[in-house]
Amino acid sequence: MNRQFLDIQDLACGYDRQMVLHHINFQAQKGEVVTIIGPNGSGKTTLLKTIPGLIHALEGYALLDQEDLSQMPAKLKAKRVAMVMQPMESIYMTVEEYVLLGRLPYFKTYQFIEDPSDIRAADKYLEYTGISHLKGESLSRISSGERQLATIAKALAQEPELLLMDEPTSHLDISHQAQILKLITDLKQQHDLTVVMVQHDLNLAGEYSDQVILLDKETQTLYKSGSPKEVITEAHIRAVYHTDVVVESNPHSGRPGVFLRKS
Ligand code: ADP
């Protein structure tokens, strides 16, 4: 197995010389789910956007299969890397038209409309995300949760190897949260998809990740990385979030569950 499919090397990120994070190092293998957690403003979204080169790295590299992502030709990168970002756009096109945008990197020269294989791919991921019944609806007329599912379907229609997601479950109710995270688990198992996501919900991070990256706002770097059990501990959460919590093992999964401790 390729241990370093995604290799983040000494990455520093920020804006106009304002450093937000420095010395970020982690690796992910194919089929691994990596979740970035940390307090508000600790740089989770900035890091996620720096990985594919959406924001220029101030220092260091993000390598995919040993290739520098910031130097990768745009069309090739669009086939290999898909992003699900916040906030959701509300635009005037149908859900199906929107999901079909995910097929654009596969259009051949002089191909101006989608071909049957693109329609089949869009249909497949509309079904995967449970929104086939909405395909003729305008994006502006569906709920924000449904729009989030459409954005995920569009990203999957790109059939990427690396999926970057900024809080993919933030607008979803508990059943849709479970559906999306189950889908990510299936995709990683069946298609070796590597996922890096930002997650506010520490319980979801603990439950669905292979590796957790905890960012610290004060030191502007990685506080701890490792398995959910290694990272999501009472001491680490207290140190980084300055909040007293109880961490107990979920009796069903054995994964860490986080509960607020009443003062
Ligand atoms: P998080 O996702 O952990 O809440 P962000 O990555 O959004 O954190 O923000 C980290 C820091 O970068 C914050 O201080 C924020 O104000 C700053 N920041 C975010 N976006 C921009 C931007 N477009 N221009 C300048 N500073 C930004």
Side-chain angles (χ1 to χ4, degrees):
M1 201 175 281
N2 186 352
R3 180 63 221 167
Q4 304 199 344
F5 177 63
L6 178 67
D7 190 3
I8 306 302
Q9 286 187 0
D10 252 342
L11 205 63
C13 26
Y15 307 87
D16 296 332
R17 297 199 189 92
Q18 181 216 339
M19 181 93 77
V20 172
L21 287 167
H22 60 87
H23 293 106
I24 301 295
N25 289 283
F26 67 91
Q27 284 91 36
Q29 56 186 314
K30 268 190 172 257
E32 197 171 357
V33 174
V34 179
T35 303
I36 304 169
I37 59 173
N40 287 335
S42 59
K44 301 182 293 296
T45 299
T46 304
L47 172 59
L48 197 74
K49 286 181 176 168
T50 307
I51 291 172
L54 224 57
I55 297 176
H56 290 297
L58 302 179
E59 282 167 29
Y61 304 95
L63 307 177
L64 188 74
D65 245 349
Q66 301 182 349
E67 255 192 87
D68 185 346
L69 273 169
S70 68
Q71 304 296 320
M72 195 180 278
K75 194 162 177 174
L76 177 61
K77 185 154 61 179
K79 285 181 186 169
R80 302 191 72 182
V81 183
M83 297 200 75
V84 174
M85 299 304 293
Q86 306 275 340
M88 309 292 302
E89 320 93 297
S90 172
I91 44 181
Y92 292 95
M93 58 173 58
T94 67
V95 170
E96 185 183 33
E97 285 164 347
Y98 180 67
V99 173
L100 277 166
L101 290 178
R103 300 301 299 167
L104 282 176
Y106 294 92
F107 279 26
K108 297 166 196 76
T109 314
Y110 302 121
Q111 181 186 343
F112 299 110
I113 54 167
E114 57 280 351
D115 68 21
S117 69
D118 298 316
I119 307 269
R120 277 197 300 277
D123 278 347
K124 176 175 162 187
Y125 294 108
L126 282 162
E127 200 175 315
Y128 240 76
T129 46
I131 52 169
S132 295
H133 60 292
L134 296 173
K135 72 186 209 181
E137 281 291 340
S138 166
L139 271 182
S140 57
R141 292 179 46 144
I142 61 176
S143 73
S144 56
E146 289 164 342
R147 243 186 344 257
Q148 189 140 6
L149 290 168
T151 308
I152 293 168
K154 169 173 159 278
L156 295 178
Q158 280 174 248
E159 303 198 313
E161 296 164 83
L162 174 65
L163 182 59
L164 303 170
M165 309 177 97
D166 195 357
E167 291 191 69
T169 54
S170 60
H171 291 277
L172 303 178
D173 62 37
I174 195 164
S175 80
H176 284 102
Q177 282 183 357
Q179 180 198 346
I180 288 302
L181 292 164
K182 159 97 174 47
L183 184 139
I184 291 171
T185 308
D186 289 350
L187 283 165
K188 82 173 193 137
Q189 282 167 354
Q190 291 163 19
H191 300 280
D192 252 3
L193 182 72
T194 304
V195 179
V196 179
M197 64 178 163
V198 168
Q199 183 62 266
H200 261 301
D201 187 322
L202 300 177
N203 289 312
L204 293 179
E207 200 57 46
Y208 290 96
S209 317
D210 300 304
Q211 190 184 162
V212 177
I213 307 290
L214 173 60
L215 301 181
D216 182 19
K217 192 173 173 178
E218 277 146 37
T219 56
Q220 297 187 300
T221 190
L222 203 154
Y223 185 84
K224 177 86 183 158
S225 65
S227 70
K229 262 192 179 161
E230 288 166 333
V231 177
I232 303 177
T233 67
E234 292 175 3
H236 294 158
I237 301 301
R238 195 179 309 117
V240 171
Y241 289 85
H242 306 296
T243 303
D244 238 352
V245 295
V246 180
V247 175
E248 280 185 4
S249 194
N250 176 328
H252 177 67
S253 63
R255 301 287 190 124
V258 180
F259 305 90
L260 281 173
R261 193 193 291 269
K262 253 191 184 169
S263 51

